[in-house]
Amino acid sequence: MIGGLFIYNHKGEVLISRVYRDDIGRNAVDAFRVNVIHARQQVRSPVTNIARTSFFHVKRSNIWLAAVTKQNVNAAMVFEFLYKMCDVMAAYFGKISEENIKNNFVLIYELLDEILDFGYPQNSETGALKTFITQQGIKSQHQTKEEQSQITSQVTGQIGWRREGIKYRRNELFLDVLESVNLLMSPQGQVLSAHVSGRVVMKSYLSGMPECKFGMNDKIVIEKQGKGTADETSKSGKQSIAIDDCTFHQCVRLSKFDSERSISFIPPDGEFELMRYRTTKDIILPFRVIPLVREVGRTKLEVKVVIKSNFKPSLLAQKIEVRIPTPLNTSGVQVICMKGKAKYKASENAIVWKIKRMAGMKESQINAEIELLPTNDKKKWARPPISMNFEVPFAPSGLKVRYLKVFEPKLNYSDHDVIKWVRYIGRSGIYETRC
Amino acid sequence: MTDSKYFTTTKKGEIFELKAELNSDKKEKKKEAVKKVIASMTVGKDVSALFPDVVNCMQTDNLELKKLVYLYLMNYAKSQPDMAIMAVNTFVKDCEDPNPLIRALAVRTMGCIRVDKITEYLCEPLRKCLKDEDPYVRKTAAVCVAKLHDINAQLVEDQGFLDTLKDLISDSNPMVVANAVAALSEIAESHPSSNLLDLNPQSINKLLTALNECTEWGQIFILDCLANYTPKDDREAQSICERVTPRLSHANSAVVLSAVKVLMKFMEMLSKDLDYYGTLLKKLAPPLVTLLSAEPELQYVALRNINLIVQKRPEILKHEMKVFFVKYNDPIYVKLEKLDIMIRLASQANIAQVLAELKEYATEVDVDFVRKAVRAIGRCAIKVEQSAERCVSTLLDLIQTKVNYVVQEAIVVIKDIFRKYPNKYESVIATLCENLDSLDEPEARAAMIWIVGEYAERIDNADELLESFLEGFHDESTQVQLQLLTAIVKLFLKKPTETQELVQQVLSLATQDSDNPDLRDRGYIYWRLLSTDPVAAKEVVLAEKPLISEETDLIEPTLLDELICYIGTLASVYHKPPSAFVEGGRGVVHKSLPPRTASSESAESPETAPTGAPPGEQPDVIPAQGDLLGDLLNLDLGPPVSGPPLATSSVQMGAVDLLGGGLDSLIGGTNFVAPPTAAVPANLGAPIGSGLSDLFDLTSGVGTLSGSYVAPKAVWLPAMKAKGLEISGTFTRQVGSISMDLQLTNKALQVMTDFAIQFNRNSFGLAPAAPLQVHAPLSPNQTVEISLPLSTVGSVMKMEPLNNLQVAVKNNIDVFYFSTLYPLHILFVEDGKMDRQMFLATWKDIPNENEAQFQIRDCPLNAGEDSEPPTPAPRLYPGPCTDWGLPRPCDPTEAASSKLQSSNIFTVAKRNVEGQDMLYQSLKLTNGIWVLAELRIQPGNPSCTLSLKCRAPEVSQHVYQAYETILKN
């Protein structure tokens, strides 16, 4: 299991050091600094073995988190724990920075004592933690016995993510379907790989212990239901989507999903990620990028890029950015674009073309002339792909929320009393076209 | 309020100030002070001096302060055990606190204080907490049992905590169950034999129920524990699989991987005909693919595991090639792993796509990645025959880019392609030859030379090409030298008329001017072969080579099976068994996949392992590098070998022929001029095979001699005689202490532990001065180097020969015996210089019949510049005469004297009589025997004369040998 956990700043100074196991000594702290943080080469692996001690590290801005062990630990668990640790810290004091860590070091030690016992991760849901690890530690005296046992049963209980007795005057919930669409396209316009990774994020303000059931246009569910009437199958079959795989927040009853494919759960209070999913079939690619790069002699490149929007004309895409990489020996660039603004950014070795808004079924074009310094460098320019960023108000996977039903048997509010909001946002993930 | 200010106090006298603050009456000030102490502790300052003052702050109702004090205690209690007792009372009291959070905090902290005295007091509170009404306290107490076990295992057993812990598996609270499982699994790991976890269908059922309800971490503990269970039959295995599969949809990747581990393991027991088997296979792919959209670090862990899964069950991911395409922004460690998996998944169906991708990667920036991509193209060609042509043309395109490392890498893989598809793509040789000059890496040069040699008859100027390499022969790496030697011999056999001079040149370079034994050996073998029977030589050297295998870099099947049992853990990331990186007893137990036990009556055909290639179908394996026979037949250029080096039988046959045919066809020489007689092995007429056994014997001959230099280690105990344990070693003497430098290699398949060594009584009372310290168990194929200090105070018995040493080595498998000869000079003591008068008196005193005279021949020190180079000794292996080519010191007498002095042979006087240098020397053995010597050196004469006088004349012979060894090295 995890033998120790260290947090360093970018210089390699220790900000937090907590040792859980006897086999990890103080010298481990230095070993990591010398061999990883101060190493000359780029990091070649997130797991490093130095003198039979294994170091797992993740980096957040310029803060290094390292878990250390001498045993054959569950490596996936250690990384999941480190991410969780980051989430918990962020939930307590915002951005993970040297400043914030120093300001909250007592709190961090307290958290580390609670969520990692002898190197075994314990309940790390911020909702539960916040009930008894507070920045005002004196609270404990004022708690009644009931409150205390309520805390402990929540921390250890079946529903560790929600406490009892939550009340809202207005029962409300928000569902965000957030998708990132990933694409790799060949210069000839052939899709090499494309997938959507989506998340359903729920923000719930519901009283009591509400039982929720979530439904979407999952092909398997719809086909199952539609068996009765063949007519309906063909009709809804068009709108249903094939989900390759999905994972759920721990509140979702997985066995029920496995047997009936129904998604039922008691949600945590506030915001949480209900599910993640991945689809690869019938993806709507919101934009098509058509590059044309021509080398004119040895010192000049002509680049022409056309983008085409491929969705309903009534919808508007936003925050469109096209990034056209330029060779390292670029000396000057001239650009003309039909829409938006384009600039050559020497520090990033790219031409960045920004368009604020663009409706569906439109196209736009940029022309650039790149002057090159003559070099005797034998190595050819690698031609990194042209990448693109955007945001569209629909789900590129085609996912639709069909319902979200809420039942609370003890309190007297019904599904109809809950105000529900649904929003779809499609963003670009890694959206690249080779040129 | 910010806490960062605590980090900035660095002034002197700080400790004193803190002390005052800690003893302050004001609560706030106290708390501030403790925070400062913790901050200092974090940055590595020693604040242990404040121990009593900090502990005094423990008695407080402020929870935050209490926690800080506890944190301090955990860090420093060990260094101040007596003081730590002061804290016990508070702990015991806190364990009774009405607030469950405080009870748990106390029991949690107490377990972290690793002081023996405290553990005694811990037992009672722990017992209560294990039965506490509050689940939070119970789950903390469960982990505490594991902590206590780590400090004092006996105590835990005596107090019956293990039984209580077992009871907690049936606890109503899922988190208590999970922690109890984690604690029990850890304790069980250090007692591999105990039946602690005692998993049975009932307890498994409880675990599976808890699995649905506990936290993500608890699910991991339970799944990891389940993976250790072996279901009694396939029905049970299936029912567990059915209840574990829902976990594949968990958001936590570790839960998913642990579930995959359970499924992969239990699937082994399911019949392939079962519908469920197919369903399960289909269910495994999507979650594995989903792992690739996690954060990069987790992707890396997932990819390392997928690499294992793909080798074990290629069918799971065979359609998922696209998800392993490399993204431009992937971190390099993810890119390299993806590439590996792409090659494994490459098949006829997807090869076009894969090739297009690989070509793209070959233009990227990262050198390692580009190289791997180029190599991958070659591997595709070898794996998918239909694509070979396209791969070759892709490689040619890449060679046209003239990017140096791309060209070199491409040539290395093209060589492999030639091996796989002989006589198919030779048309590209011309292009390859164009790039000859740009090759600067040994592997690429060697590959190119191999190609030239192999296809010498089709390359018009092959002799010129090879000759150009010959100019800098001595600057080349061994790999290139060996290859060049073989290539030129091949060329000679193909075009004997024009290349005689060349072959003589390379043979003499290899045999006379090189100090690399491998190269010399190979040179001599070729030389002998060519001079005795060129026809046989042709058959051997130009023999048809076995084809190379399709898959490379496969993990050895037993290791793969073991690693499958470790999916998700570090072992699966390193692709090594835990024993290779975990110290001590933990994790050494080998895990293996469960055997198929069908409850159904269907008696199926014995099923082979479901890997791509069942054991019977591996004819294409080339022998391992370093395999001597393979070496001689120049097979050593192949790609890394897959699997164990089996199927070399045909090659061995050839080797026997080599020596058999050599005898009866001495007349076969066409126009071949025999090499200088000296180099012709003298034992040519020896029985068949003696040449080879000579080769193998040599090692043992060299190691036992040694000068002031450390002799190369010789094999003392071959693995064959010691159930897989191979021991080689040598003796050294350094500043008055003798040691035996041993190298233990485990060539068996099981782990070796519990090493011990013992010497038989011997002439000089040599005995180990310390026990044989092998710190970690020796896992298969691992080697350790140990220096064993020796003393000369053991019991004495005269041995025959005098310097014979009989050794017994024990390990967990058996006891093994071997004997070795130690060089006498390790016994020469540092105070062996006699004064002149004493020397004269003693010399006279010792009777003349005790004088022994020896000739030291071919003493390299003494060969003058103008004299003829010494004729090599008529042996296949020139042995100690290795440094003919080395520069010699100007004054041979002076050099000899200083050389001998470094081995504790002291020159008492020196004089010159009739042009000869006379050195008078003395030395003393560890048992007090003095030896006096007169060394006569004649300038220009390679031999010198040694006269020894000693009261115990038996040692003279061995002192002479020591002289010889020292002078010749």
Side-chain angles (χ1 to χ4, degrees), chain B residues 855-866:
Chain B
Q855 286 285 322
I856 301 175
R857 287 176 213 286
D858 306 330
C859 174
L861 288 167
N862 201 18
E865 271 74 20
D866 50 349

Side-chain angles (χ1 to χ4, degrees), chain A residues 21 44 109 114 120 141 245, chain B residues 42 61 136 186 290 368:
Chain A
R21 297 261 170 163
R44 291 310 247 196
Y109 275 125
E114 184 59 43
Y120 289 105
Q141 288 100 62
D245 187 37
Chain B
T42 299
D61 38 8
Y136 183 75
E186 178 165 345
T290 298
D368 282 350

Side-chain angles (χ1 to χ4, degrees), chain B residues 199-249:
Chain B
L199 295 173
N200 52 49
Q202 288 77 39
S203 58
I204 291 291
N205 197 29
K206 280 177 201 155
L207 292 184
L208 286 168
T209 313
L211 185 62
N212 289 328
E213 296 165 347
C214 61
T215 64
E216 45 195 332
W217 314 115
Q219 298 188 15
I220 300 169
F221 306 152
I222 292 177
L223 288 168
D224 284 352
C225 173
L226 272 179
N228 291 329
Y229 175 65
T230 311
K232 62 179 192 305
D233 54 39
D234 57 349
R235 277 197 202 131
E236 195 188 0
Q238 179 174 344
S239 84
I240 295 176
C241 287
E242 278 167 357
R243 293 179 69 178
V244 166
T245 31
R247 297 300 119 195
L248 295 175
S249 308

